[in-house]
Amino acid sequence: MTTSMPQLRSVVLGVGAYLPEKTLTNDELAKLVDTSDEWIMQRTGIKERHIAAEGETTSMLGEKAARAALADAGLNADDIDLIIVGTSTPDWTFPSTATQIQAALGITHGVAFDLQAVCSGFVFAVATAEKFLRSGSHKRALVIGAETFSRIIDWTDRTTCVLFGDGAGAMVLEARPSQGGIEERGVLTTHLRSDGRHRAKLHVDGGPSATQTVGHLRMEGKEVFRFAVGHVTDVVKDAFAATGLMADDLDWFVPHQANRRIIDMSAQKLGIAPQKIIATVHLHGNTSAASVPLALAVAAADGRIKRGDLVMLEAVGGGFTWGSALIRW
Ligand code: UT7
């Protein structure tokens, strides 16, 4: 005899995003370092990136994205009892950016904390929030990816400074009863990985404990490219294996927005049709943990992602870290 256990599932109620006002185009970058619009477009697909104003911090970007997601969900800040912020560029070493966003939103109940998985931060935060909600410990989560990578870029290094930008994106998740079927709305499965042996390939050369400085981003681009295309497909295949779904079942593929070539090659390797790819990297460059929710917000707002659609999120970042989240929208 089987007893049907009551289950909870994390359902997406809304998404939102925010990009700082100031843009920096490829042509403007070509005045700072030896590069060109042609090289950047051809190698990365990036057209421009947004740069936070002086004094505009990661938590300020995150707060704006959070308010947009709450509005999209039709909820008030008070309805939220869990805030998780994926970021590698916190306002301060401590307290967490999440607590600053919590205060800015006027929330004094529940819990807020940061999660550090670099470019995989948002997918890691979705996976974490989903486990909290599914356990019944919390009811509604704000999951945020917010970054000001412009602050840790070496603006004299053309191999990295053309790639990154600032921004924030957010998602509201709510715990709802579910029978557990794959056709029901919500986060169906998440898969996270890390392998700490690769620090040298993508890291920041500063930190409170090691150097007492903030440091600058350093990257062996080719190595990261190879790893991204080579490994990120593992976690997507894990999501298919866990649900019995296949690439053909997906409506949308929303990968980390680092480089258009990585996005296209990953989709091709997974057998995902090009028209199912959501790519916004040309608009904002690599915004690290903010990139996936930025792409989601664009595609939800323009009507591509609709209720009931099957959406695969995927990201890879420093650490290395990598992960997937499969969502019935
Ligand atoms: O979220 C994870 C974070 N990072 C990433 O996802 C980035 C992963 N890596 C990449 O996206 C690519 O490796 C890059 C876009 C960084 C570089 O593309 P690539 O096709 O791997 O180029 P490359 O590093 O092999 O460089 C090719 C040439 C080199 O010149 P030589 O040695 O062939 O003479 C570079 O010095 O391009 C040169 N180069 C540039 N030229 C103009 C490197 N950066 C630039 C630049 N403008 N900004």
Side-chain angles (χ1 to χ4, degrees), residues 29 33-40 42-46 118-120 149 157-164 201-202 217 219-226 228 256-262 286-288 291 315-318 320:
L29 266 172
V33 290
D34 182 14
T35 190
S36 64
D37 177 50
E38 194 195 356
W39 190 94
I40 301 171
Q42 204 175 61
R43 302 289 178 130
T44 73
I46 299 166
V118 200
C119 299
S120 309
F149 262 50
D157 175 10
R158 70 172 183 173
T159 68
T160 53
C161 77
V162 304
L163 302 174
F164 295 90
K201 293 175 188 143
L202 178 52
L217 183 148
M219 179 167 71
E220 296 169 25
K222 257 197 185 344
E223 291 294 319
V224 177
F225 192 110
R226 199 171 297 135
H256 172 46
Q257 309 286 316
N259 181 324
R260 184 68 211 228
R261 282 157 61 220
I262 296 177
N286 184 347
T287 57
S288 184
S291 90
V316 58
F320 289 134

Side-chain angles (χ1 to χ4, degrees), residues 105-174:
L105 292 172
I107 304 173
T108 53
H109 62 272
V111 64
F113 58 89
D114 286 359
L115 189 155
Q116 220 279 39
V118 200
C119 299
S120 309
F122 183 78
V123 172
F124 274 51
V126 167
T128 306
E130 189 272 330
K131 290 179 200 304
F132 272 73
L133 296 185
R134 193 149 42 84
S135 78
S137 69
H138 294 75
K139 181 82 183 122
R140 282 185 214 92
L142 250 176
V143 183
I144 302 169
E147 304 275 19
T148 46
F149 262 50
S150 65
R151 312 289 205 242
I152 55 165
I153 292 300
D154 175 352
W155 288 101
T156 65
D157 175 10
R158 70 172 183 173
T159 68
T160 53
C161 77
V162 304
L163 302 174
F164 295 90
D166 302 338
M171 172 186 275
V172 177
L173 290 172
E174 181 177 71

Side-chain angles (χ1 to χ4, degrees), residues 236-256:
V236 172
K237 285 179 183 157
D238 289 344
F240 289 143
T243 54
L245 293 163
M246 302 184 300
D248 279 349
D249 297 316
L250 291 183
D251 293 293
W252 303 107
F253 179 54
V254 189
H256 172 46

Side-chain angles (χ1 to χ4, degrees), residues 162-242:
V162 304
L163 302 174
F164 295 90
D166 302 338
M171 172 186 275
V172 177
L173 290 172
E174 181 177 71
R176 287 198 178 166
S178 161
Q179 299 303 312
I182 53 166
E183 70 296 339
E184 284 178 69
R185 293 183 69 198
V187 179
L188 302 184
T189 189
T190 60
H191 299 269
L192 307 182
R193 289 291 322 279
S194 65
D195 183 344
R197 290 174 297 174
H198 302 280
R199 191 188 81 90
K201 293 175 188 143
L202 178 52
H203 68 288
V204 171
D205 62 7
S209 182
T211 62
Q212 299 83 57
T213 62
V214 171
H216 291 109
L217 183 148
R218 307 293 175 202
M219 179 167 71
E220 296 169 25
K222 257 197 185 344
E223 291 294 319
V224 177
F225 192 110
R226 199 171 297 135
F227 186 89
V229 176
H231 281 72
V232 83
T233 47
D234 298 355
V235 282
V236 172
K237 285 179 183 157
D238 289 344
F240 289 143

